[in-house]
Coordinates of all heavy atoms in Angstrom, one line a residue:
M1 N 0.8 -1.2 0.0 CA 0.0 0.0 0.0 C 0.9 1.3 0.0 O 0.6 2.2 -0.7 CB -0.9 0.0 1.2 CG -1.8 1.2 1.4 SD -3.2 1.0 0.3 CE -4.2 2.4 0.8
R2 N 1.9 1.2 0.8 CA 2.8 2.4 0.9 C 3.5 2.7 -0.4 O 3.6 3.8 -0.8 CB 3.9 2.1 2.0 CG 4.8 3.3 2.2 CD 4.1 4.4 2.8 NE 4.9 5.6 2.8 CZ 4.5 6.8 3.2 NH1 3.3 7.0 3.6 NH2 5.3 7.8 3.2
A3 N 3.9 1.6 -1.1 CA 4.5 1.8 -2.4 C 3.6 2.5 -3.4 O 3.9 3.4 -4.2 CB 5.0 0.5 -3.0
W4 N 2.3 2.0 -3.4 CA 1.3 2.6 -4.3 C 1.1 4.1 -4.0 O 1.1 4.9 -4.9 CB 0.0 1.9 -4.1 CG -1.0 2.3 -5.1 CD1 -1.2 1.8 -6.4 CD2 -2.0 3.4 -5.0 NE1 -2.2 2.4 -7.0 CE2 -2.7 3.4 -6.2 CE3 -2.2 4.3 -4.0 CZ2 -3.7 4.4 -6.4 CZ3 -3.2 5.3 -4.3 CH2 -4.0 5.3 -5.4
L5 N 1.1 4.4 -2.7 CA 0.9 5.8 -2.3 C 2.1 6.7 -2.7 O 2.0 7.8 -3.1 CB 0.7 5.9 -0.8 CG -0.7 5.5 -0.3 CD1 -0.7 5.4 1.2 CD2 -1.8 6.4 -0.8
D6 N 3.3 6.1 -2.6 CA 4.5 6.8 -3.1 C 4.5 7.1 -4.5 O 5.0 8.1 -5.0 CB 5.8 6.0 -2.7 CG 6.0 6.0 -1.2 OD1 5.5 6.9 -0.5 OD2 6.7 5.1 -0.8
R7 N 3.9 6.2 -5.3 CA 3.8 6.4 -6.8 C 2.6 7.4 -7.2 O 2.6 7.8 -8.3 CB 3.6 5.1 -7.5 CG 4.8 4.2 -7.5 CD 4.6 3.0 -8.4 NE 3.4 2.3 -8.3 CZ 3.1 1.3 -7.5 NH1 4.0 0.9 -6.7 NH2 1.9 0.7 -7.5
H8 N 1.7 7.6 -6.2 CA 0.6 8.5 -6.5 C 0.5 9.6 -5.5 O -0.3 9.6 -4.5 CB -0.7 7.7 -6.5 CG -0.8 6.6 -7.5 ND1 -0.2 5.3 -7.3 CD2 -1.3 6.6 -8.8 CE1 -0.4 4.6 -8.4 NE2 -1.0 5.3 -9.3
P9 N 1.4 10.6 -5.6 CA 1.5 11.6 -4.5 C 0.3 12.5 -4.3 O 0.1 13.1 -3.3 CB 2.7 12.4 -5.0 CG 2.8 12.2 -6.4 CD 2.3 10.8 -6.7
R10 N -0.6 12.5 -5.3 CA -1.8 13.3 -5.2 C -2.9 12.7 -4.2 O -3.8 13.4 -3.8 CB -2.5 13.6 -6.6 CG -1.5 14.5 -7.4 CD -2.2 14.8 -8.8 NE -3.4 15.5 -8.6 CZ -4.2 15.8 -9.6 NH1 -4.0 15.4 -10.8 NH2 -5.3 16.5 -9.3
W11 N -2.7 11.4 -3.9 CA -3.7 10.8 -3.0 C -3.2 11.0 -1.6 O -2.0 10.7 -1.3 CB -3.7 9.3 -3.3 CG -4.6 8.9 -4.5 CD1 -4.3 9.0 -5.8 CD2 -5.9 8.5 -4.4 NE1 -5.3 8.6 -6.5 CE2 -6.3 8.3 -5.7 CE3 -6.8 8.2 -3.4 CZ2 -7.6 7.8 -6.0 CZ3 -8.0 7.7 -3.7 CH2 -8.5 7.6 -5.0
T12 N -4.1 11.4 -0.7 CA -3.8 11.5 0.7 C -4.9 10.9 1.5 O -6.1 11.0 1.0 CB -3.6 13.0 1.1 OG1 -4.7 13.7 0.8 CG2 -2.4 13.6 0.4
F13 N -4.6 10.4 2.6 CA -5.6 9.9 3.5 C -5.7 10.7 4.8 O -4.6 11.1 5.3 CB -5.3 8.4 3.9 CG -5.5 7.5 2.7 CD1 -4.5 7.1 1.9 CD2 -6.8 6.9 2.4 CE1 -4.6 6.3 0.8 CE2 -7.0 6.1 1.3 CZ -5.9 5.8 0.5
H14 N -6.8 11.0 5.2 CA -7.0 11.8 6.4 C -7.6 10.9 7.5 O -8.6 10.2 7.3 CB -7.9 13.0 6.2 CG -7.3 13.9 5.1 ND1 -6.3 14.8 5.3 CD2 -7.6 13.9 3.8 CE1 -6.0 15.4 4.2 NE2 -6.8 14.9 3.2
F15 N -7.0 11.0 8.7 CA -7.5 10.2 9.8 C -8.7 10.9 10.4 O -8.7 12.1 10.7 CB -6.4 10.1 10.9 CG -6.9 9.5 12.2 CD1 -7.2 8.1 12.2 CD2 -7.1 10.2 13.3 CE1 -7.7 7.5 13.4 CE2 -7.6 9.7 14.4 CZ -7.9 8.3 14.5
T16 N -9.8 10.2 10.6 CA -11.0 10.7 11.2 C -11.2 9.9 12.5 O -11.4 8.7 12.4 CB -12.2 10.5 10.3 OG1 -12.0 11.2 9.1 CG2 -13.4 11.1 11.0
P17 N -11.0 10.5 13.6 CA -11.2 9.7 14.9 C -12.6 9.2 15.0 O -13.6 9.8 14.6 CB -10.8 10.7 16.0 CG -11.0 12.0 15.3 CD -10.8 11.9 13.9
T18 N -12.7 8.1 15.7 CA -14.0 7.5 15.9 C -14.9 8.4 16.8 O -16.1 8.2 16.9 CB -13.9 6.1 16.6 OG1 -13.2 6.2 17.8 CG2 -13.3 5.1 15.6
S19 N -14.2 9.3 17.5 CA -15.0 10.2 18.3 C -15.7 11.3 17.5 O -16.5 12.1 18.1 CB -14.1 10.9 19.4 OG -13.1 11.6 18.7
A20 N -15.5 11.3 16.2 CA -16.2 12.3 15.4 C -17.6 11.8 15.1 O -18.0 11.6 13.9 CB -15.4 12.5 14.1
S21 N -18.4 11.7 16.1 CA -19.8 11.2 15.9 C -20.6 12.1 15.0 O -21.5 11.5 14.3 CB -20.5 11.0 17.2 OG -20.6 12.2 17.9
W22 N -20.4 13.4 14.9 CA -21.1 14.2 14.0 C -20.9 13.8 12.6 O -21.8 13.8 11.7 CB -20.8 15.7 14.2 CG -19.4 16.0 13.9 CD1 -18.3 16.0 14.7 CD2 -18.9 16.4 12.6 NE1 -17.1 16.3 14.0 CE2 -17.5 16.5 12.7 CE3 -19.5 16.6 11.3 CZ2 -16.7 16.9 11.6 CZ3 -18.7 16.9 10.3 CH2 -17.3 17.1 10.4
L23 N -19.7 13.4 12.3 CA -19.4 13.0 10.9 C -20.1 11.7 10.6 O -20.6 11.5 9.5 CB -17.8 12.8 10.7 CG -17.4 12.4 9.3 CD1 -17.8 13.5 8.3 CD2 -15.9 12.3 9.3
N24 N -20.1 10.8 11.6 CA -20.8 9.5 11.4 C -22.3 9.8 11.1 O -22.9 9.1 10.3 CB -20.7 8.6 12.6 CG -19.3 8.1 12.8 OD1 -18.5 8.1 11.8 ND2 -18.9 7.8 14.0
A25 N -22.9 10.8 11.8 CA -24.3 11.1 11.6 C -24.5 11.7 10.2 O -25.5 11.3 9.6 CB -24.7 12.1 12.7
V26 N -23.6 12.5 9.8 CA -23.7 13.0 8.4 C -23.6 11.9 7.4 O -24.4 11.9 6.4 CB -22.7 14.1 8.2 CG1 -22.6 14.6 6.7 CG2 -22.9 15.3 9.1
E27 N -22.6 11.0 7.5 CA -22.5 9.9 6.6 C -23.7 9.0 6.6 O -24.2 8.5 5.6 CB -21.2 9.1 7.0 CG -20.0 9.8 6.6 CD -18.7 9.1 7.0 OE1 -18.9 8.0 7.8 OE2 -17.6 9.5 6.6
G28 N -24.3 8.8 7.8 CA -25.5 8.0 7.9 C -26.7 8.6 7.2 O -27.4 7.9 6.5
F29 N -26.8 9.9 7.3 CA -27.9 10.6 6.6 C -27.7 10.5 5.1 O -28.7 10.2 4.4 CB -27.9 12.1 7.0 CG -28.9 12.9 6.2 CD1 -30.2 12.9 6.5 CD2 -28.4 13.7 5.1 CE1 -31.1 13.6 5.7 CE2 -29.3 14.4 4.3 CZ -30.7 14.4 4.7
F30 N -26.5 10.7 4.6 CA -26.4 10.6 3.1 C -26.5 9.1 2.7 O -27.0 8.9 1.5 CB -25.0 11.2 2.7 CG -25.1 12.7 2.6 CD1 -24.5 13.4 3.6 CD2 -25.7 13.3 1.6 CE1 -24.5 14.8 3.5 CE2 -25.8 14.7 1.5 CZ -25.2 15.4 2.5
A31 N -26.1 8.2 3.5 CA -26.4 6.8 3.1 C -27.9 6.5 3.0 O -28.3 5.8 2.1 CB -25.7 5.8 4.2
K32 N -28.6 7.0 4.0 CA -30.1 6.8 3.9 C -30.7 7.5 2.7 O -31.6 6.9 2.0 CB -30.8 7.3 5.2 CG -30.6 6.5 6.4 CD -31.4 7.1 7.5 CE -31.1 6.3 8.8 NZ -31.8 7.0 10.0
L33 N -30.2 8.7 2.4 CA -30.7 9.4 1.3 C -30.4 8.6 0.0 O -31.3 8.5 -0.9 CB -30.0 10.8 1.2 CG -30.2 11.6 -0.1 CD1 -31.7 12.0 -0.3 CD2 -29.3 12.8 -0.1
T34 N -29.2 8.1 -0.1 CA -28.9 7.4 -1.3 C -29.7 6.1 -1.4 O -30.2 5.8 -2.5 CB -27.4 7.0 -1.2 OG1 -26.6 8.2 -1.2 CG2 -26.9 6.2 -2.5
Q35 N -29.8 5.3 -0.3 CA -30.5 4.0 -0.4 C -32.0 4.2 -0.6 O -32.6 3.5 -1.4 CB -30.3 3.3 0.9 CG -28.9 2.7 1.1 CD -28.6 1.6 0.1 OE1 -29.5 0.9 -0.3 NE2 -27.3 1.5 -0.2
R36 N -32.6 5.2 0.1 CA -34.1 5.3 0.1 C -34.6 6.2 -1.0 O -35.8 6.0 -1.4 CB -34.5 5.8 1.4 CG -34.2 4.8 2.5 CD -34.7 5.4 3.8 NE -34.3 4.5 4.9 CZ -34.5 4.7 6.2 NH1 -35.1 5.8 6.6 NH2 -34.1 3.8 7.1
R37 N -33.8 7.1 -1.6 CA -34.4 8.0 -2.5 C -33.7 8.1 -3.8 O -34.3 8.2 -4.9 CB -34.4 9.4 -1.9 CG -35.1 10.5 -2.7 CD -36.6 10.2 -3.0 NE -37.4 9.8 -1.8 CZ -38.1 10.6 -1.1 NH1 -38.2 11.9 -1.4 NH2 -38.8 10.2 0.0
L38 N -32.4 8.0 -3.8 CA -31.6 8.3 -5.1 C -31.2 7.0 -5.9 O -31.2 7.1 -7.1 CB -30.3 9.1 -4.7 CG -30.6 10.4 -4.1 CD1 -29.2 11.1 -3.8 CD2 -31.5 11.3 -4.9
R39 N -30.9 5.9 -5.2 CA -30.4 4.8 -5.9 C -31.3 4.2 -7.0 O -30.9 4.0 -8.1 CB -30.1 3.7 -4.9 CG -29.5 2.4 -5.6 CD -28.5 1.6 -4.9 NE -27.3 2.4 -4.6 CZ -26.5 2.2 -3.6 NH1 -26.8 1.1 -2.9 NH2 -25.5 2.9 -3.4
R40 N -32.6 4.1 -6.7 CA -33.5 3.5 -7.7 C -34.3 4.5 -8.4 O -35.2 4.2 -9.2 CB -34.3 2.4 -7.0 CG -33.5 1.2 -6.6 CD -34.5 0.1 -6.2 NE -33.7 -1.1 -6.0 CZ -33.3 -1.5 -4.8 NH1 -33.6 -0.8 -3.7 NH2 -32.6 -2.6 -4.6
G41 N -34.0 5.8 -8.1 CA -34.8 6.8 -8.7 C -34.5 7.1 -10.2 O -33.4 6.7 -10.6
V42 N -35.4 7.6 -10.9 CA -35.1 8.0 -12.3 C -35.3 9.5 -12.4 O -36.4 10.1 -12.0 CB -36.2 7.3 -13.3 CG1 -36.0 7.9 -14.7 CG2 -36.0 5.8 -13.2
F43 N -34.2 10.2 -12.7 CA -34.2 11.6 -12.7 C -33.9 12.1 -14.1 O -32.8 11.7 -14.7 CB -33.2 12.2 -11.7 CG -33.4 11.6 -10.3 CD1 -32.6 10.6 -9.9 CD2 -34.5 12.0 -9.5 CE1 -32.8 10.0 -8.6 CE2 -34.7 11.4 -8.3 CZ -33.8 10.5 -7.8
R44 N -34.7 13.0 -14.6 CA -34.4 13.5 -16.0 C -33.7 14.8 -16.0 O -33.3 15.2 -17.1 CB -35.8 13.6 -16.7 CG -36.5 12.3 -16.8 CD -37.6 12.3 -17.8 NE -38.4 11.1 -17.8 CZ -38.0 9.9 -18.3 NH1 -36.9 9.9 -19.0 NH2 -38.8 8.9 -18.3
S45 N -33.5 15.4 -14.8 CA -32.8 16.7 -14.8 C -32.3 16.9 -13.4 O -32.6 16.2 -12.4 CB -33.7 17.8 -15.2 OG -34.7 18.0 -14.2
L46 N -31.4 17.9 -13.3 CA -30.9 18.2 -12.0 C -32.0 18.7 -11.1 O -32.0 18.5 -9.9 CB -29.8 19.3 -12.2 CG -29.1 19.8 -10.9 CD1 -28.4 18.7 -10.2 CD2 -28.1 20.9 -11.3
V47 N -32.9 19.4 -11.6 CA -34.1 19.9 -10.9 C -34.8 18.8 -10.2 O -35.3 18.8 -9.1 CB -35.0 20.8 -11.8 CG1 -36.3 21.2 -11.0 CG2 -34.2 22.0 -12.2
D48 N -35.0 17.7 -11.0 CA -35.7 16.5 -10.4 C -34.9 15.9 -9.2 O -35.5 15.5 -8.2 CB -35.9 15.4 -11.5 CG -36.9 15.8 -12.6 OD1 -37.6 16.7 -12.4 OD2 -36.9 15.1 -13.6
I49 N -33.6 15.8 -9.4 CA -32.8 15.3 -8.2 C -32.9 16.2 -7.0 O -33.1 15.7 -5.9 CB -31.3 15.1 -8.7 CG1 -31.2 14.1 -9.8 CG2 -30.5 14.8 -7.5 CD1 -29.9 14.0 -10.4
Q50 N -32.8 17.5 -7.3 CA -32.9 18.5 -6.2 C -34.3 18.4 -5.5 O -34.3 18.4 -4.2 CB -32.7 19.9 -6.7 CG -31.2 20.1 -7.1 CD -31.1 21.5 -7.8 OE1 -32.0 22.0 -8.4 NE2 -29.9 22.0 -7.7
A51 N -35.3 18.2 -6.3 CA -36.7 18.1 -5.7 C -36.8 16.8 -4.8 O -37.4 16.8 -3.7 CB -37.7 18.1 -6.8
A52 N -36.2 15.7 -5.3 CA -36.2 14.4 -4.5 C -35.5 14.6 -3.2 O -35.9 14.1 -2.2 CB -35.6 13.3 -5.4
I53 N -34.3 15.3 -3.3 CA -33.6 15.5 -2.0 C -34.3 16.4 -1.1 O -34.4 16.1 0.1 CB -32.2 16.1 -2.4 CG1 -31.3 15.0 -3.1 CG2 -31.5 16.5 -1.1 CD1 -30.0 15.6 -3.7
K54 N -34.9 17.4 -1.6 CA -35.7 18.3 -0.7 C -36.9 17.6 -0.1 O -37.2 17.8 1.1 CB -36.2 19.5 -1.5 CG -35.0 20.5 -1.8 CD -35.5 21.7 -2.6 CE -34.3 22.6 -2.9 NZ -34.6 23.7 -3.7
R55 N -37.6 16.7 -0.8 CA -38.7 15.9 -0.3 C -38.2 15.0 0.8 O -38.8 14.9 1.9 CB -39.4 15.1 -1.4 CG -40.4 15.9 -2.2 CD -41.3 15.0 -3.0 NE -40.6 14.1 -3.8 CZ -40.0 14.3 -5.1 NH1 -40.2 15.5 -5.6 NH2 -39.4 13.3 -5.7
F56 N -37.0 14.3 0.6 CA -36.5 13.4 1.6 C -36.2 14.2 2.8 O -36.5 13.7 3.9 CB -35.2 12.8 1.0 CG -34.6 11.8 2.0 CD1 -35.1 10.6 2.2 CD2 -33.5 12.3 2.8 CE1 -34.5 9.7 3.1 CE2 -32.9 11.4 3.7 CZ -33.4 10.1 3.9
V57 N -35.5 15.4 2.7 CA -35.2 16.1 3.9 C -36.5 16.6 4.6 O -36.6 16.5 5.9 CB -34.3 17.4 3.5 CG1 -34.2 18.3 4.7 CG2 -33.0 16.9 3.0
A58 N -37.5 17.0 3.9 CA -38.7 17.5 4.5 C -39.4 16.3 5.3 O -39.9 16.4 6.4 CB -39.7 18.1 3.5
E59 N -39.4 15.1 4.6 CA -40.1 13.9 5.2 C -39.3 13.5 6.5 O -39.9 13.1 7.5 CB -40.1 12.8 4.2 CG -41.1 13.0 3.1 CD -40.9 12.1 2.0 OE1 -40.1 11.1 2.1 OE2 -41.6 12.3 0.9
T60 N -38.0 13.5 6.4 CA -37.1 13.1 7.5 C -37.3 14.1 8.7 O -37.4 13.7 9.8 CB -35.6 13.1 7.1 OG1 -35.5 12.2 6.0 CG2 -34.8 12.7 8.2
N61 N -37.4 15.4 8.4 CA -37.6 16.4 9.4 C -39.0 16.4 10.0 O -39.2 16.8 11.2 CB -37.2 17.8 8.9 CG -35.7 18.0 8.7 OD1 -34.9 17.2 9.3 ND2 -35.4 18.9 7.9
S62 N -39.9 15.9 9.3 CA -41.3 15.8 9.8 C -41.5 14.7 10.9 O -42.4 14.7 11.6 CB -42.3 15.6 8.7 OG -42.2 14.4 8.1
R63 N -40.6 13.7 10.9 CA -40.6 12.6 11.8 C -39.3 12.5 12.5 O -38.6 11.5 12.4 CB -40.9 11.3 11.1 CG -42.3 11.3 10.4 CD -42.5 9.9 9.7 NE -41.5 9.4 8.9 CZ -41.3 9.8 7.6 NH1 -42.1 10.6 7.0 NH2 -40.3 9.2 6.9
P64 N -38.9 13.5 13.3 CA -37.5 13.4 13.9 C -37.5 12.4 15.0 O -38.5 12.0 15.7 CB -37.4 14.8 14.6 CG -38.8 15.3 14.8 CD -39.6 14.7 13.7
K65 N -36.3 11.8 15.1 CA -36.1 10.7 16.2 C -34.9 11.2 17.0 O -33.8 11.4 16.4 CB -35.8 9.4 15.5 CG -37.0 8.8 14.8 CD -36.6 7.5 14.2 CE -37.8 7.0 13.3 NZ -37.5 5.7 12.7
P66 N -35.0 11.2 18.3 CA -33.9 11.6 19.1 C -32.8 10.6 19.1 O -33.1 9.4 19.0 CB -34.5 11.8 20.5 CG -35.7 10.9 20.5 CD -36.2 10.9 19.1
F67 N -31.6 11.0 19.3 CA -30.5 10.1 19.4 C -30.5 9.4 20.8 O -30.7 10.1 21.8 CB -29.2 10.8 19.2 CG -28.0 10.0 19.4 CD1 -27.6 9.1 18.4 CD2 -27.2 10.0 20.6 CE1 -26.5 8.3 18.6 CE2 -26.1 9.2 20.8 CZ -25.8 8.3 19.7
V68 N -30.4 8.1 20.8 CA -30.4 7.4 22.0 C -29.0 6.7 22.2 O -28.6 5.9 21.3 CB -31.5 6.3 22.1 CG1 -31.5 5.5 23.4 CG2 -32.9 7.0 21.9
W69 N -28.3 7.1 23.2 CA -27.0 6.5 23.5 C -27.2 5.1 24.0 O -27.8 4.9 25.0 CB -26.3 7.4 24.5 CG -24.8 7.1 24.5 CD1 -24.1 6.3 25.3 CD2 -23.9 7.7 23.6 NE1 -22.8 6.3 24.9 CE2 -22.6 7.1 23.9 CE3 -23.9 8.6 22.5 CZ2 -21.4 7.5 23.3 CZ3 -22.8 8.9 21.9 CH2 -21.5 8.4 22.2
T70 N -26.6 4.1 23.3 CA -26.8 2.7 23.7 C -25.5 2.0 24.2 O -25.6 0.9 24.8 CB -27.3 1.9 22.5 OG1 -26.4 2.0 21.4 CG2 -28.7 2.4 22.1
S71 N -24.4 2.7 24.0 CA -23.1 2.0 24.5 C -22.9 2.3 26.0 O -23.3 3.4 26.5 CB -22.0 2.5 23.7 OG -22.1 2.1 22.4
D72 N -22.2 1.4 26.6 CA -21.7 1.6 28.0 C -20.6 2.6 28.0 O -19.6 2.5 27.2 CB -21.3 0.2 28.5 CG -20.8 0.3 29.9 OD1 -21.5 0.8 30.8 OD2 -19.6 -0.2 30.1
L73 N -20.7 3.5 28.9 CA -19.7 4.6 29.0 C -18.3 4.0 29.3 O -17.3 4.4 28.7 CB -20.0 5.6 30.1 CG -19.1 6.7 30.4 CD1 -18.9 7.5 29.1 CD2 -19.5 7.6 31.5
D74 N -18.2 3.0 30.1 CA -16.9 2.4 30.4 C -16.2 1.8 29.2 O -15.0 1.8 28.9 CB -17.0 1.4 31.6 CG -17.3 2.0 32.9 OD1 -16.8 3.2 33.1 OD2 -18.0 1.4 33.7
R75 N -17.1 1.2 28.4 CA -16.6 0.5 27.2 C -16.1 1.6 26.2 O -15.1 1.4 25.5 CB -17.8 -0.3 26.5 CG -17.4 -1.0 25.3 CD -18.5 -1.9 24.8 NE -18.3 -2.3 23.5 CZ -19.2 -2.4 22.5 NH1 -20.5 -2.1 22.8 NH2 -18.9 -2.7 21.3
I76 N -16.8 2.7 26.1 CA -16.3 3.8 25.2 C -15.0 4.3 25.7 O -14.1 4.6 24.9 CB -17.4 4.9 25.2 CG1 -18.7 4.4 24.5 CG2 -16.9 6.1 24.4 CD1 -19.9 5.3 24.7
I77 N -14.9 4.6 27.0 CA -13.6 5.1 27.5 C -12.4 4.1 27.2 O -11.3 4.5 26.9 CB -13.8 5.5 29.0 CG1 -14.7 6.6 29.1 CG2 -12.4 5.8 29.6 CD1 -15.1 7.0 30.5
R78 N -12.7 2.8 27.4 CA -11.6 1.9 27.2 C -11.2 1.9 25.7 O -10.0 1.8 25.4 CB -12.1 0.4 27.6 CG -12.1 0.2 29.1 CD -12.2 -1.3 29.4 NE -13.4 -1.9 28.8 CZ -14.6 -2.0 29.3 NH1 -14.8 -1.4 30.5 NH2 -15.6 -2.5 28.7
A79 N -12.2 2.0 24.8 CA -11.9 2.0 23.4 C -11.1 3.2 23.0 O -10.2 3.2 22.2 CB -13.2 1.9 22.6
A80 N -11.5 4.4 23.6 CA -10.8 5.6 23.3 C -9.3 5.5 23.8 O -8.4 6.0 23.1 CB -11.5 6.8 24.0
K81 N -9.1 4.9 25.0 CA -7.8 4.8 25.5 C -6.9 3.9 24.6 O -5.8 4.2 24.3 CB -7.8 4.3 26.9 CG -8.2 5.3 27.9 CD -8.3 4.7 29.4 CE -8.7 5.8 30.3 NZ -8.8 5.3 31.7
R82 N -7.5 2.8 24.1 CA -6.8 1.9 23.2 C -6.5 2.6 21.9 O -5.3 2.5 21.4 CB -7.7 0.7 22.8 CG -7.7 -0.4 23.8 CD -8.3 -1.7 23.3 NE -9.5 -1.5 22.5 CZ -10.8 -1.5 23.0 NH1 -10.9 -1.7 24.3 NH2 -11.8 -1.4 22.3
G83 N -7.4 3.5 21.4 CA -7.1 4.2 20.2 C -6.0 5.2 20.4 O -5.1 5.3 19.6
H84 N -5.9 5.9 21.6 CA -4.8 6.8 21.9 C -3.5 6.1 22.0 O -2.5 6.6 21.5 CB -5.1 7.6 23.1 CG -6.2 8.6 23.0 ND1 -6.0 9.8 22.3 CD2 -7.5 8.6 23.5 CE1 -7.2 10.5 22.3 NE2 -8.1 9.8 23.0
L85 N -3.5 4.9 22.6 CA -2.3 4.1 22.7 C -1.7 3.7 21.3 O -0.5 3.8 21.0 CB -2.5 2.8 23.5 CG -2.6 3.1 25.0 CD1 -3.0 1.7 25.7 CD2 -1.4 3.6 25.6
V86 N -2.6 3.3 20.4 CA -2.2 2.9 19.1 C -1.7 4.2 18.3 O -0.7 4.1 17.6 CB -3.4 2.3 18.3 CG1 -3.1 2.2 16.8 CG2 -3.8 1.0 18.9
L87 N -2.4 5.3 18.4 CA -2.0 6.5 17.7 C -0.6 6.9 18.2 O 0.3 7.4 17.5 CB -3.0 7.6 17.9 CG -4.3 7.4 17.1 CD1 -5.3 8.5 17.4 CD2 -4.0 7.4 15.6
D88 N -0.4 6.9 19.5 CA 0.8 7.3 20.1 C 2.0 6.4 19.7 O 3.1 6.9 19.6 CB 0.7 7.4 21.6 CG -0.2 8.6 22.1 OD1 -0.4 9.5 21.3 OD2 -0.6 8.5 23.2
S89 N 1.7 5.2 19.5 CA 2.8 4.2 19.2 C 3.3 4.4 17.8 O 4.4 3.9 17.5 CB 2.3 2.8 19.4 OG 1.3 2.4 18.5
H90 N 2.6 5.0 16.9 CA 3.0 5.1 15.5 C 3.7 6.4 15.2 O 4.1 6.7 14.1 CB 1.8 5.1 14.6 CG 1.2 3.7 14.5 ND1 1.9 2.6 14.3 CD2 -0.1 3.3 14.6 CE1 1.1 1.5 14.3 NE2 -0.1 1.9 14.5
H91 N 4.0 7.2 16.2 CA 4.7 8.5 16.0 C 6.1 8.5 16.5 O 6.5 7.9 17.4 CB 3.9 9.6 16.7 CG 2.6 9.9 15.9 ND1 1.4 9.3 16.2 CD2 2.3 10.8 15.0 CE1 0.5 9.7 15.4 NE2 1.0 10.7 14.7

């Protein structure tokens, strides 16, 4: 993998920590949008796609669901500590 990256200097990878839950939420939203509205849709113009996205957002916002934390706090802290140890060991 490293050799490939050395041959392709324009490619860069950015580390996103697992603690970036807002990013996970955004990715989840776009995954739902893609699966439920865009993947099997037939769109004849950009305006049609924009309208489908706006309908999806309106429908999603009309039935909001609160975020419910389901993980054990101690488990999360242990995982975060393991992640920090791994990150620190590579520098």
